[in-house]
Amino acid sequence: VHFGEEDYTRSILAVPLRLGDRIIGMLSTQSYKANAYTTEDLYLMEMLAANTAIAIENTRLLKEVQWLAITDPLTGLFNRRGFFELGQREVERFRRFGRPFSAIMMDLDRFKQVNDTYGHAAGDQVLIGLTGRLRSKIRDVDVMGRYGGEEIVIILPETDIQGASLLAERLRSHVEKTPIDTDRGPIPITISLGVAEFKSSIPDLASLLDRADSAMYVAKQSGRNQVRLYTDE
């Protein structure tokens, strides 16, 4: 089906974009004239294609390096740097539009005992399994990061403390129900969670996380495997 003017393409010069043995695309040019391209044109196109392929690969590698710089290599979650970069956006949205958001801080109960009993390799598998279990229960817009060690934090946009506490309880129950499969067999785990909501009186994201961490500490001290909320009272 022909669209546009009456002229038809009568010459095409196309060369592959090669990276070693791989072809990652094609570079082409067209003309309304017959026999428009020469051997010299082909040579120039091949040089341009070689440079283009390198530029595309360099861009891909740069993005990969940037991604690795903000993610945790074990769990695939955002590391602290990546988490704070994305979490700061919610702080800015709150400052501009007053949109609510909350944070959940959680810690794997008695994780040192897991490592001591089953080994660190099994402990890593537990963290990976826990990450997958949590991901299955949160939204795409939620931001989850590995805060340090076995601590995991989630930012929940458009969510007040009541909604965040309901999700935290669902996560706690979901993790408790089924042991995580490892090379050393199924390992039962539980998590303790603290929840806090961002308020205008809170200066920054780090302060919000400190509040969620304080609530989580209360959950730990109160027997573990539970959810506690941070309140100003």
Side-chain angles (χ1 to χ4, degrees):
V1 178
H2 182 75
F3 291 95
E5 300 178 359
E6 293 299 320
D7 292 331
Y8 283 78
T9 297
R10 302 187 66 190
S11 299
I12 296 176
L13 180 60
V15 295
L17 301 177
R18 295 181 181 275
L19 282 172
D21 295 332
R22 292 187 296 129
I23 295 178
I24 64 170
M26 182 182 74
L27 186 64
S28 70
T29 183
Q30 303 178 19
S31 174
Y32 294 130
K33 296 180 181 180
N35 303 312
Y37 302 109
T38 65
T39 302
E40 184 178 352
D41 293 328
L42 175 60
Y43 174 73
L44 291 173
M45 279 283 285
E46 287 175 338
M47 289 184 60
L48 180 59
N51 290 328
T52 301
I54 292 171
I56 291 173
E57 179 67 1
N58 286 345
T59 300
R60 185 192 68 80
L61 290 173
L62 177 60
K63 289 183 177 179
E64 183 176 316
V65 169
Q66 290 172 334
W67 177 253
L68 291 174
I70 62 171
T71 54
D72 172 59
L74 177 65
T75 62
L77 298 176
F78 289 109
N79 59 22
R80 291 184 73 146
R81 172 185 169 183
F83 179 81
F84 269 88
E85 286 181 4
L86 293 176
Q88 184 59 33
R89 298 178 186 176
E90 293 306 313
V91 175
E92 293 168 0
R93 282 197 341 120
F94 179 90
R95 300 292 189 210
R96 291 183 63 188
F97 308 113
R99 304 308 305 170
F101 76 97
S102 299
I104 299 175
M105 181 77 74
M106 69 189 74
D107 188 67
L108 212 159
D109 295 330
R110 297 185 174 89
F111 187 60
K112 183 180 184 302
Q113 184 176 328
V114 171
N115 282 327
D116 291 345
T117 303
Y118 301 98
H120 288 277
D124 287 347
Q125 292 172 8
V126 166
L127 283 174
I128 295 169
L130 172 62
T131 298
R133 199 165 289 185
L134 297 173
R135 273 190 174 132
S136 70
K137 294 297 181 182
I138 66 174
R139 306 166 298 179
D140 290 341
V141 297
D142 299 331
V143 181
M144 184 162 61
R146 187 178 181 186
Y147 199 64
E150 64 274 20
E151 286 187 337
I152 293 175
V153 63
I154 307 174
I155 289 291
L156 306 170
E158 300 292 330
T159 308
D160 60 16
I161 195 166
Q162 287 77 26
S165 64
L166 290 174
L167 173 63
E169 177 56 29
R170 286 199 299 271
L171 295 176
R172 185 206 63 78
S173 177
H174 183 55
V175 169
E176 178 189 34
K177 283 180 180 178
T178 308
I180 292 178
D181 291 327
T182 71
D183 292 342
R184 297 292 303 274
I187 299 177
I189 63 168
T190 60
I191 53 176
S192 299
L193 307 95
V195 182
E197 181 179 358
F198 196 84
K199 303 288 186 181
S200 57
S201 58
I202 299 177
D204 49 36
L205 181 62
S207 299
L208 172 68
L209 299 182
D210 285 343
R211 292 185 172 204
D213 188 64
S214 295
M216 183 189 72
Y217 180 78
V218 173
K220 287 277 193 184
Q221 295 299 108
S222 301
R224 300 182 177 87
N225 190 27
Q226 56 187 273
V227 176
R228 288 300 177 99
L229 311 184
Y230 182 91
T231 62
D232 294 317
E233 300 176 358

